[in-house]
């Protein structure tokens, strides 16, 4: 981080999130994710065959804010990859927003991932040569080849909503870690996803920035009812979710409301 990089708290002013139309599959309470007997096997039929996910059954309804927890090696990353349509399951059924994944070819899978899912990672993966506004609008540029004035304005509205109205023209190197992650959150919302998969979204931040970013995710959920599945190793953050799903040795060992602190 350069000496000119502002602190995480440089711009606290936040605005209401831009309104988004309701899409098919966004109806509150509808089952958005349905896993039935999902298995994931690597190196099938080989001496080093390993089964990572063992017949998972899972339902996530539209509008939920859930945490996925578990020790290292429990299969969380594999499950997130399958849910994010980055890998296919070996057996079982996965239905996302009413679409049976097993029936889709790779091109249809790419479209469904683009139109239904948003991703926030531990590392922001912002493009260093582009400004905050350009990074937020990048999913549109990839999809359409150009960013219309209307969608450019949406990118600016999202940045204002996450408290970065004064940083739209800055490049990632000119932003603090917490600000970079807020840009990544705005980018994840650019195409109005039904489900946001957040993989350790605060894992690379200090305690104060971590709390602020998590509070932002909760505010987004409250204001626009976006569904969130948040992978975290932090029990304090998991306790702030409405539901906690625990994965141990590739099996769901617990699923319910967090225990009272």
């Amino acid at each position: 981080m350069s000496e000119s990089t502002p602190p995480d708290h440089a711009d606290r002013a936040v605005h209401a999130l831009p309104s988004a139309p309701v899409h098919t599959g966004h109806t509150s309470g509808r089952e958005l994710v349905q896993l039935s007997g999902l298995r994931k096997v690597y190196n099938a039929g080989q001496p080093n065959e390993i089964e990572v996910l063992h017949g998972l059954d899972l339902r996530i309804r539209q509008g939920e804010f859930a945490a996925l927890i578990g020790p290292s090696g429990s299969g969380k990353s594999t499950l997130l990859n399958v849910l994010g349509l980055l890998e296919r399951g070996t057996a079982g059924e996965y239905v996302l927003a009413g679409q049976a994944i097993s029936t889709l070819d790779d091109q249809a899978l790419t479209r469904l991932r683009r139109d239904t899912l948003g991703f926030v990672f531990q590392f922001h993966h912002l493009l260093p040569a582009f400004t905050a506004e350009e990074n937020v609008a990048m999913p549109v540029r990839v999809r359409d080849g150009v960013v219309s004035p209307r969608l450019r304005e949406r990118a600016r509205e999202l940045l204002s909503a996450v408290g970065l109205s004064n940083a739209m023209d800055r490049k990632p190197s000119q932003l603090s870690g917490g600000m970079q992650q807020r840009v990544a959150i705005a980018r994840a919302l650019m195409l109005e996803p039904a489900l946001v998969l957040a993989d350790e979204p605060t894992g690379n931040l200090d305690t104060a920035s971590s709390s602020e970013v998590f509070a932002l995710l909760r505010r987004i959920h409250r204001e626009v009812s976006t569904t969130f599945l948040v992978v975290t190793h932090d029990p304090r953050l998991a306790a702030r979710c409405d539901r906690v799903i625990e994965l141990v040795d590739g099996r769901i060992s617990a699923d319910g409301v967090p225990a009272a602190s």
Side-chain angles (χ1 to χ4, degrees), residues 32 60-61 63-67 120 185 188-189 194-198 216-222 224-230 241:
L32 184 60
I60 298 176
R61 303 186 74 85
E64 286 197 84
F65 194 104
V120 181
I185 292 168
L189 297 173
L195 172 64
V196 172
L197 300 173
L216 174 61
L217 296 180
R218 294 267 24 188
R219 183 172 71 87
I220 292 166
H221 171 258
R222 184 175 64 251
V224 296
S225 297
T226 300
T227 307
F228 281 87
L229 181 64
V230 180
C241 296

Side-chain angles (χ1 to χ4, degrees), residues 28-226:
S28 179
R30 174 175 178 167
E31 284 190 346
L32 184 60
V33 169
Q34 303 171 56
L35 298 182
S36 301
L38 181 77
R39 297 174 58 232
K40 180 62 180 179
V41 178
Y42 292 100
N43 305 316
Q46 304 299 315
N48 59 342
E49 175 179 311
I50 181 171
E51 184 167 348
V52 178
L53 301 177
H54 305 274
L56 300 187
D57 296 317
L58 178 66
R59 302 290 187 271
I60 298 176
R61 303 186 74 85
Q62 176 62 32
E64 286 197 84
F65 194 104
L68 177 63
I69 65 172
S72 296
S74 61
K76 298 188 305 299
S77 294
T78 300
L79 177 55
L80 207 66
N81 284 344
V82 172
L83 291 174
L85 307 180
L86 302 173
E87 299 183 44
R88 292 181 184 265
T90 305
E93 185 177 29
Y94 176 21
V95 178
L96 175 63
Q99 294 286 315
I101 301 308
S102 61
T103 67
L104 304 179
D105 60 21
D106 288 346
Q107 188 174 25
L109 205 68
T110 297
R111 287 196 299 268
L112 183 62
R113 180 171 57 243
R114 180 195 67 199
D115 296 340
T116 307
L117 300 173
F119 296 88
V120 181
F121 302 99
Q122 178 176 351
F123 300 100
H124 52 77
H125 298 298
L126 300 178
L127 299 176
F130 294 87
T131 66
E133 179 188 329
E134 291 167 336
N135 268 283
V136 172
M138 193 58 64
V140 174
R141 184 175 297 279
V142 170
R143 182 189 67 185
D144 301 339
V146 66
V147 181
S148 69
R150 179 180 64 83
L151 290 174
R152 186 175 297 110
E153 180 59 26
R154 173 171 171 78
R156 298 179 70 85
E157 289 174 349
L158 284 168
L159 283 169
S160 294
V162 301
L164 294 177
S165 59
N166 295 328
M168 297 184 186
D169 296 325
R170 296 180 191 170
K171 293 184 177 178
S173 62
Q174 299 172 304
L175 303 173
S176 67
M179 295 169 79
Q180 290 169 343
Q181 197 64 315
R182 283 187 272 166
V183 174
I185 292 168
R187 179 183 59 191
L189 297 173
M190 185 66 197
L191 297 182
E192 302 161 17
L195 172 64
V196 172
L197 300 173
D199 188 6
E200 294 284 355
T202 65
N204 201 35
L205 303 177
D206 60 47
T207 302
S209 297
S210 174
S211 183
E212 286 189 357
V213 166
F214 191 83
L216 174 61
L217 296 180
R218 294 267 24 188
R219 183 172 71 87
I220 292 166
H221 171 258
R222 184 175 64 251
E223 291 187 6
V224 296
S225 297
T226 300

